[in-house]
Amino acid sequence: MTDAYSGRCWRFGDDLASDQLIPPQHVFEYDPAVLRRHLLAELRPELSQQAAPGDLVVTGRNFANGSNHSHPFLAMKEMGVGLICASISRGPFRLAVFMGIPLLVAGAEIIAQLGDGDALRVDFATGDIRNESTGRRFTVEPLSPFLLDIIAAGGGLTYARSLLATEGTDHAKR
Amino acid sequence: MPATLAEKILARASGRDRVEPGEVIWVTPDLVTTPEVSFPAYVKRLRDNGIDRFALPERVVVAIDHEVPVHSREGAERNRLTRQLARETGVGHLFDGEGITHPLVIERGLVRPLSFVAAADTHTPSLGGVGALGIPFGIELTMILATGRIWVKVPETVRVEIGGRCPPGVTARDLVLAVMTRIDADLANYRIIELGGDAVAALSIPERMTLCGLCVDMGAKSAVTEVDERCVAFLAERGVADAAPVRSDPGCRYAEVIAFDASTLAPQVSIPPSPTHVRPVTELAHTAIQHAYIGSCASGTLAELSAAADLLEGRRVHADVQMLVIPATRRIYQQAMEQGVLARLSAAGAMVSPPTCGPCFGGLAQLAAGEARISTSTRNDPGRMGSRDATIYLGSALTVAASAVAGRIADPRDFLPAERKDIAP
């Protein structure tokens, strides 16, 4: 990934539960190509077909609450989309980073200015959010450089592999 | 700058003098724990990603605790694979049917005050009872196994100051349920709960572990209690040398301070759909139950088994109730056997099983639709113990034992003999 994403805004509401993102009957499915077909399919059947890398899923508060499943993030990674939400609790936040999904948390008043179908440009390293359809621009707290490194590597395990390749396990000593 | 206990632990684990809430830091866990239900899947995931060794295998604890004795073919294969992979990866400890991970690592002296412990399993915050910080990481444990370290956002601490003493019949479980009624998920999220005050100081170390372990169910990242001389002595008996008392510095910053008095509390019960739905036991009297369970990582201590056996003395489990008791570790099982506690429980009509997480997540003694159980375990989500149409209530070992006798949810204070009423187990 680069630090910035440009694409379409896919706008959703508050309290999207993990089980709503991907229905729980797919819990034993781990193929990202299959999972992307189910991501938010009940709310937006066209998402899987039309989402393009660089697009942004934009939601209200409490994204991916409930079951701590990695499936929605596997599907988002397959689509190549980033995330902006009004709030996200610890479990799904960590999962998003581990799976390599770039994300920003923005106030509800900013989310309200990002409409479905708007063209967005989002820099995760600086926290800069531009709505190119309306010309409005917002700044939020950026992702920590640590977490950007993990996401840029493609997630926790690919990050771990590259870390081991360059440093061995010396970093674990203290 | 004064620091909270959790900040001291994270500073130590990151090799720094101090850390600030909100910072993202790298920490190197002192101990990494995983049960058999996760371990083989983690190793496979690592190998699929080209990682075939652990950075610090000597710090890794693998415990076969969820399905003991094994009672499914897939469990048998999982256990076989767990033993094989534990050997191949050279982990420091493989505990095979020795008990439930969290009480077990304390019992075996593997956790010290100020230790940072990363776990696969949710209820590791119980390690806070010895002034350690246990944090659940789930699938991210793979990254910790591979690299020996993990990122943590330094959390703020909420201080809970509990004055007074628990009255008779009121236990650590009732205390933590009282905390749950005062802290909602928004306050708990991404924060550490620090419990202190006279009522906490009066608790035994296993009781403090109950207190800390259940804080995760109100949405906290973890929980911790102060390390006093009583804790130091407890750890010394388990082989932890040179531990010293430690607590938050005076003047440290808390996100919020919540204070209440234990001496006015009554026994409480969690009703579905989650542990935070707390009601006084008196409100639920006459609720019929068909199952009663004492056990889990949040319970199943020797003191609780003894207290339940005392309450059952001269009484019998109700004819319509199946009562199951599971000591949390094999050592507790052994002690309870030697002290005659298991014999007394059995004589009163309870079944006793070997140490396992079993019923807590529906792996053993499942419930049928329409049935109700009162339990000392950790969670009561619909479907957790079998049918989604079964009902799970959570309470103290005393409340469970009293209810088992009555065949309905009962107030344990009505069952305490006059001469024992000054003892709060």
Side-chain angles (χ1 to χ4, degrees), chain A residues 30 61 70 74 88-90 93-95 97-99 141 144 146-147 150 156-161 163-164 167 169 171-174, chain B residues 12-13 15 24-26 28 30 45-46 49 51 55-56 135-137 139-140 142-143 146-152 186 189-190 221:
Chain A
Y30 284 96
R61 63 188 297 277
S70 51
L74 277 169
I88 179 168
S89 67
R90 172 184 179 257
F93 180 84
R94 295 201 66 104
L95 266 176
V97 173
F98 182 74
M99 300 306 301
E141 190 184 338
S144 147
F146 282 18
L147 306 190
I150 296 173
L157 287 182
T158 39
Y159 175 82
R161 198 169 54 199
L163 188 73
L164 293 169
E167 297 182 24
T169 54
H171 58 270
K173 300 199 177 90
R174 67 152 197 267
Chain B
R12 185 185 157 274
V24 177
I25 57 170
W26 288 110
T28 304
D30 298 284
R45 191 134 172 182
L46 286 168
N49 279 276
I51 300 168
L56 300 168
I135 296 190
F137 285 97
I139 183 67
E140 286 181 281
T142 46
M143 191 172 162
T147 65
R149 71 177 188 178
I150 187 68
W151 66 270
V152 170
D186 283 340
N189 183 36
Y190 239 117
K221 181 167 183 155

Side-chain angles (χ1 to χ4, degrees), chain B residues 305 308-319 321-325 340-352 401 404-405:
Chain B
L305 301 188
D310 289 347
L311 189 146
L312 290 169
E313 192 71 46
R315 300 188 171 100
R316 276 202 64 83
V317 172
H318 193 280
V321 174
Q322 303 288 312
M323 184 178 186
L324 177 61
V325 177
V341 173
L342 298 187
R344 292 161 66 210
L345 289 167
S346 175
M351 288 179 277
V352 182
V405 171

Side-chain angles (χ1 to χ4, degrees), chain B residues 102-103 106-107 125-130 171-173 176 200 202-214 225 228 230-231 233-235 237-238 296-305 328-329 332 335 425:
Chain B
H102 319 304
I106 298 280
E107 180 185 282
S126 64
L127 306 180
V130 299
T171 70
R173 163 77 66 161
V176 70
V200 178
L203 296 177
S204 70
I205 306 312
E207 289 173 314
R208 296 178 196 180
M209 291 175 62
T210 298
L211 213 52
C212 291
L214 293 172
T225 55
D228 54 13
R230 184 175 188 173
C231 179
F234 175 92
L235 289 173
E237 285 169 18
R238 284 152 187 82
S296 90
C297 62
S299 184
T301 65
L302 186 60
E304 286 174 290
L305 301 188
T329 69
I332 295 171
Q335 289 168 337

Side-chain angles (χ1 to χ4, degrees), chain B residues 127-402:
Chain B
L127 306 180
V130 299
L133 200 56
I135 296 190
F137 285 97
I139 183 67
E140 286 181 281
L141 217 73
T142 46
M143 191 172 162
I144 302 173
L145 292 169
T147 65
R149 71 177 188 178
I150 187 68
W151 66 270
V152 170
K153 187 171 165 191
V154 179
E156 294 180 299
T157 296
V158 175
R159 168 80 181 184
V160 180
E161 181 80 24
I162 313 177
R165 286 287 288 270
C166 287
V170 175
T171 70
R173 163 77 66 161
D174 303 300
L175 266 189
V176 70
L177 294 189
V179 174
M180 284 186 191
T181 63
R182 289 162 172 84
I183 297 183
D184 64 9
D186 283 340
L187 180 56
N189 183 36
Y190 239 117
R191 294 205 170 96
I192 303 293
I193 310 291
E194 178 185 294
L195 303 126
D198 291 346
V200 178
L203 296 177
S204 70
I205 306 312
E207 289 173 314
R208 296 178 196 180
M209 291 175 62
T210 298
L211 213 52
C212 291
L214 293 172
C215 283
V216 79
D217 294 301
M218 64 182 92
K221 181 167 183 155
S222 192
V224 71
T225 55
E226 298 161 5
V227 178
D228 54 13
E229 291 295 348
R230 184 175 188 173
C231 179
V232 168
F234 175 92
L235 289 173
E237 285 169 18
R238 284 152 187 82
V240 178
D242 307 325
V246 58
R247 56 187 302 169
S248 292
D249 296 326
C252 67
R253 272 179 309 168
Y254 292 117
E256 195 153 330
V257 178
I258 288 164
F260 66 95
D261 195 304
S263 43
T264 57
L265 292 179
Q268 323 216 30
V269 170
S270 297
I271 65 169
S274 82
T276 56
H277 292 71
V278 178
R279 300 284 182 276
V281 69
T282 46
E283 249 179 51
L284 296 163
H286 310 302
T287 306
I289 50 109
Q290 297 78 38
H291 297 267
Y293 170 50
I294 296 177
S296 90
C297 62
S299 184
T301 65
L302 186 60
E304 286 174 290
L305 301 188
S306 302
D310 289 347
L311 189 146
L312 290 169
E313 192 71 46
R315 300 188 171 100
R316 276 202 64 83
V317 172
H318 193 280
D320 297 336
V321 174
Q322 303 288 312
M323 184 178 186
L324 177 61
V325 177
I326 303 189
T329 69
R330 196 167 61 81
R331 211 171 270 180
I332 295 171
Y333 188 102
Q334 185 81 23
Q335 289 168 337
M337 190 154 53
E338 287 163 6
Q339 295 178 15
V341 173
L342 298 187
R344 292 161 66 210
L345 289 167
S346 175
M351 288 179 277
V352 182
S353 290
T356 179
C357 310
C360 185
F361 70 103
L364 190 66
Q366 294 211 351
L367 298 178
E371 289 191 314
R373 171 180 281 151
I374 186 154
S375 167
T376 64
S377 54
T378 60
R379 294 200 58 87
N380 60 344
D381 315 68
R384 184 158 170 111
M385 292 180 170
S387 171
R388 283 189 67 83
D389 297 318
T391 312
I392 307 165
Y393 301 94
L394 304 173
S396 74
L398 286 181
T399 301
V400 169

Side-chain angles (χ1 to χ4, degrees), chain A:
Chain A
M1 106 185 215
T2 58
D3 289 343
Y5 272 33
S6 286
R8 181 197 197 280
C9 171
W10 295 91
R11 184 76 160 76
F12 296 90
D14 287 337
D15 296 310
L16 279 179
S18 174
D19 287 351
Q20 220 177 333
L21 292 166
I22 302 246
Q25 64 261 35
H26 305 296
V27 70
F28 295 110
E29 178 62 64
Y30 284 96
D31 181 350
V34 175
L35 287 174
R36 77 169 279 163
R37 296 205 292 270
H38 299 297
L39 183 72
L40 289 160
E42 281 174 26
L43 289 172
R44 300 293 291 271
E46 73 278 22
L47 179 69
S48 175
Q49 282 296 320
Q50 296 180 9
D55 282 1
L56 284 306
V57 169
V58 180
T59 82
R61 63 188 297 277
N62 210 9
F63 181 77
N65 65 86
S67 318
N68 231 350
H69 290 150
S70 51
H71 303 64
F73 301 104
L74 277 169
M76 289 174 73
K77 190 174 185 184
E78 172 72 12
M79 285 181 179
V81 298
L83 173 69
I84 305 174
C85 59
S87 69
I88 179 168
S89 67
R90 172 184 179 257
F93 180 84
R94 295 201 66 104
L95 266 176
V97 173
F98 182 74
M99 300 306 301
I101 309 297
L103 77 164
L104 290 176
V105 174
E109 69 290 352
I110 296 175
I111 301 289
Q113 300 296 324
L114 309 176
D116 191 65
D118 286 355
L120 305 182
R121 183 176 165 77
V122 179
D123 190 324
F124 295 95
T126 61
D128 184 57
I129 301 173
R130 265 187 279 171
N131 187 334
E132 292 176 334
S133 299
T134 65
R136 299 199 58 173
R137 193 168 173 170
F138 313 91
T139 305
V140 301
E141 190 184 338
L143 270 178
S144 147
F146 282 18
L147 306 190
L148 269 179
D149 284 350
I150 296 173
I151 293 165
L157 287 182
T158 39
Y159 175 82
R161 198 169 54 199
S162 60
L163 188 73
L164 293 169
T166 53
E167 297 182 24
T169 54
D170 285 352
H171 58 270
K173 300 199 177 90
R174 67 152 197 267

